Amino acid sequence: MPSGPLRLRPDGTRRERRRGGAAAAGGGGRLLLARRRPQEPPRRACGGGDARRDARRPARADAGGAAPEAGIRLACKPPDALLRDVSAAALDVAVGSFPRVALGLEYRHLYEERQLFYRGAGHPLFTACDDAIDFDELRSRRIVGRRYWGARDVKGFASHRVGAEVSDMESAAALILSGAFLGCLPKHCARPWVKAGALRAIAPARLGYRAPFQMVWRRDRAELPRVRMMIDAIARSHGAAAPKP
C-alpha cells in the first residue's frame, strides 16, 4: 500500500504522492505560512491552476527577496484547521475559503474561485441533458460534501444525507471520477479531466458558484516584522491594497 496521499492523473489513474509537511510553531526569524488544501489543490495534483493568479509574482518570492535570511514554512491543511492554527499562533498567515469567522482574527478578501458541480464518466447522469436534470433527480443521488463546511455546500439539494464527506479536493475528485458520486470541484482543478472526457459539469448556470478566498492573521501579531512582511506580500500578489497597520 502507498505510504502517503495519492495524486490523480487526468485519466483517473493514481500515482503515489510524498507526504506534505505539517505546520509547526517557530520563533526567531521563521515565518509560518499556510494555504488551504481543500479548495485549491496544487496544479500537479489536480492538473491545472488559475492562469490569472499563476501569472502574478508569488508572494513567497516577494517575501524571500525582502528578507532572504527568514525561513518560510508552508503547510496545506483544511480551512478549519488553518483557523485553529492561526488562532493558536502555530501559523502566522493563512489563505483559504473559510467556513466561519473566528474571534481575534483579521480577514482580507483576495479573490474568488469558480466552483462547478460535476459528474464522472460512468455515472447514470453523465450523458443526460442538463435540462432533464432537476433537483429531485439530484436528491436521489450520492453527493460528495466537504467536511470542514459541515457539508453545507450540498445541503441545498441533498435530501436526508450526504453520500460522502471529504477534507480535500483530491478525495472529492477521486469519488466523482469513480462514477458513483456527484460533487463540486474548482473549475481549474477539473479542467484536465473535462478535456479528457472523464468529467462533465451539470447545469453550471444553476449549480455553479464563486467561493471567496481570504487571507487571515491574528490581530495581535500583525506588527511582528515577519508577519507584516508576508501580509503585505500576499496582498500585493493579488492586486489588493496592503492592510493598514
Side-chain angles (χ1 to χ4, degrees):
M1 294 292 291
S3 60
L6 296 175
R7 287 182 180 169
L8 298 173
R9 298 186 177 95
D11 63 1
T13 60
R14 299 180 176 187
R15 57 192 173 93
E16 187 175 350
R17 173 178 142 187
R18 293 178 296 175
R19 291 186 183 275
R30 178 178 294 167
L31 174 68
L32 303 177
L33 171 70
R35 194 177 183 93
R36 77 86 182 84
R37 181 176 184 175
Q39 281 191 278
E40 190 185 13
R43 282 180 301 179
R44 288 175 294 173
C46 271
D50 185 314
R52 292 171 299 177
R53 288 200 302 277
D54 292 346
R56 289 197 275 262
R57 179 177 174 83
R60 59 187 177 273
D62 283 347
E69 74 285 355
I72 298 178
R73 298 192 65 185
L74 300 177
C76 292
K77 294 186 177 185
D80 51 354
L82 293 181
L83 291 179
R84 287 196 301 268
D85 284 356
V86 173
S87 295
L91 290 172
D92 291 322
V93 182
V95 173
S97 184
F98 298 107
R100 60 186 176 85
V101 175
L103 294 177
L105 301 184
E106 292 284 348
Y107 292 76
R108 181 77 173 189
H109 177 80
L110 296 176
Y111 60 91
E112 293 184 343
E113 184 177 81
R114 179 71 168 160
Q115 306 279 317
L116 298 180
F117 194 67
Y118 289 95
R119 53 202 155 175
H123 193 278
L125 298 180
F126 189 72
T127 59
C129 175
D130 286 352
D131 292 340
I133 303 175
D134 57 21
F135 280 96
D136 288 336
E137 177 67 45
L138 295 177
R139 290 187 185 103
S140 70
R141 303 295 178 175
R142 301 175 75 187
I143 298 174
V144 178
R146 298 175 190 181
R147 181 177 300 166
Y148 51 91
W149 279 347
R152 291 192 301 273
D153 54 326
V154 297
K155 283 184 177 177
F157 46 82
S159 56
H160 60 287
R161 67 180 179 86
V162 175
E165 290 188 356
V166 299
S167 295
D168 59 82
M169 287 297 97
E170 290 184 327
S171 297
L175 291 172
I176 298 168
L177 286 164
S178 74
F181 294 86
L182 305 173
C184 289
L185 290 172
K187 184 178 178 180
H188 69 82
C189 171
R191 187 178 295 117
W193 290 308
V194 172
K195 289 182 178 179
L199 289 179
R200 290 184 65 200
I202 300 178
R206 285 189 290 144
L207 302 180
Y209 67 95
R210 303 192 71 85
F213 277 71
Q214 301 157 311
M215 170 173 51
V216 62
W217 64 92
R218 239 174 71 164
R219 189 176 297 129
D220 62 353
R221 293 171 61 83
E223 293 315 305
L224 290 174
R226 70 173 189 270
V227 177
R228 172 52 55 182
M229 175 188 64
M230 184 54 75
I231 290 172
D232 292 347
I234 292 174
R236 285 195 304 270
S237 75
H238 290 86
K244 295 181 179 179

